[in-house]
Every structure is written in structure tokens, then in C-alpha cells.
Amino acid sequence: MSGGIGLRLFVCIAVLFPVFLAVGTTSSILDMTPPISRLALADLRDTFEEVHNGHRHEAIDILEPTGTPVHAVVSGTIRKLFLSNRGGSTIYQFDEMGAYCYYYAHLDRYVEGLREGMRVERGDVIGFVGSTGNADARTPHLHFAIFELGPERLWWKGKAVNPYPGLVDAVKRAK
Ligand SMILES: [Zn+2]
């Protein structure tokens, strides 16, 4: 009898443990708030699979006027402030678990005082929309991407995840 209970307990843990892990690693995407205030569903278009300048886009572009505040979509840490030819002024932000990296590109500038290693809360202003890097100056926008980090947690080495469904949910929750 006790062996049966023990076995059942073991099966229960074996079944539930991966579920806990899965919930733990997807929770920050499910907790996102929109990177732009008063964002509407009509402002979002799924261009993740499109080819832009010879590369799979793997991101969502949100068109906004230059200077529009950009908010951290989750709480976590500013991991890297990076100036690149394509992305211009960019922010790589890790979530609390270091499971996902949130990437904000073509920024006009960072919010004053933003530093690598700094903790930010969800909703904090971290930068402003612009057209730095290879963005067309006539169409300033936020290029927003999400990367699933490997166990080594390197900001430049993640697997792109389509942010579109998470952004749609975030906009619906924000209403
Ligand atoms: Zn883009």
C-alpha cells in the first residue's frame, strides 16, 4: 500500500516538475506590459518572418514619432547598452530569471542615468524611439525582439522568439 502511494507521489512529481520549469521560464513573456504607452492592436503587425535587408527580421517594428518614451516590458537588469551599425543605440535587458533577453533598437537615446547592470522595473522608461542604425530617418520606430537565453546567458547569443503574441496579450491586458 505505502509503495503504491510512494509510486504515485513519484509519478506526480515527475509529471509536474517539467510543468513548473516550463511555467518558470515562460513567465516573463506572459508578464509583459507594452513597451509604448497607449499602444493599440492596430499598431502591431507580425513581421517576424519577413526578410529585411537580407536578414530574417525576427522582431516586431512599432512605428512611433522620434522621442516617444520606451518602457521596460518586464522587470530585470539592463545587461548591455550597445551601439551597432544595424541596430543603432540598443538595449539588451534580461528578465529576473535570466531566461529571456528583451532587445530594444534604433533608439534615439537612452534615458538619463541608464547603466549596464542596473535593475529596472516593468514600465520604467529606459529610452526613446528614434531611427539610429539602419532605420529610415523618415520612419522612426522601435525594433523589439525577444531572445531565449541559453544556460551560459550571453546577451549576444540567444534564440529569437516571436514577440508578436506576447505583445498582443500585453496590449489587451493594458486596456
Ligand atoms: Zn525591425
Side-chain angles (χ1 to χ4, degrees), residues 5-144:
I5 290 168
L7 181 65
R8 244 175 286 161
L9 192 64
F10 174 78
V11 169
C12 185
I13 290 168
V15 167
L16 285 179
F17 190 60
V19 174
F20 285 136
L21 282 182
V23 168
T25 53
T26 55
S27 62
S28 78
I29 293 179
L30 299 175
D31 280 347
M32 279 201 306
T33 51
I36 304 288
S37 294
R38 292 180 295 280
L39 199 63
L41 288 180
D43 300 328
L44 296 173
R45 211 160 61 81
D46 188 356
T47 58
F48 186 80
E49 300 287 348
E50 280 182 9
V51 174
H52 289 194
N53 307 309
H55 300 272
R56 195 159 161 257
H57 188 222
E58 300 189 333
I60 301 299
D61 291 337
I62 304 172
L63 276 64
E64 293 288 336
T66 294
T68 303
V70 174
H71 303 262
V73 294
V74 295
S75 297
T77 307
I78 301 300
R79 181 63 188 82
K80 186 72 183 176
L81 301 178
F82 190 66
L83 184 64
S84 78
N85 290 334
R86 283 164 59 192
S89 292
T90 71
I91 298 172
Y92 291 80
Q93 184 209 342
F94 282 15
D95 66 9
E96 313 251 29
M97 306 268 294
Y100 290 96
C101 176
Y102 295 84
Y103 175 68
Y104 313 78
H106 304 314
L107 299 173
D108 185 61
R109 62 189 192 280
Y110 303 127
V111 78
E112 206 181 316
L114 198 74
R115 297 280 178 272
E116 291 176 0
M118 178 187 272
R119 185 182 160 77
V120 289
E121 301 299 326
R122 185 175 58 185
D124 283 354
V125 175
I126 54 176
F128 300 91
V129 172
S131 53
T132 56
N134 65 4
D136 189 326
R138 290 165 300 182
T139 51
H141 64 275
L142 173 67
H143 171 104
F144 177 73

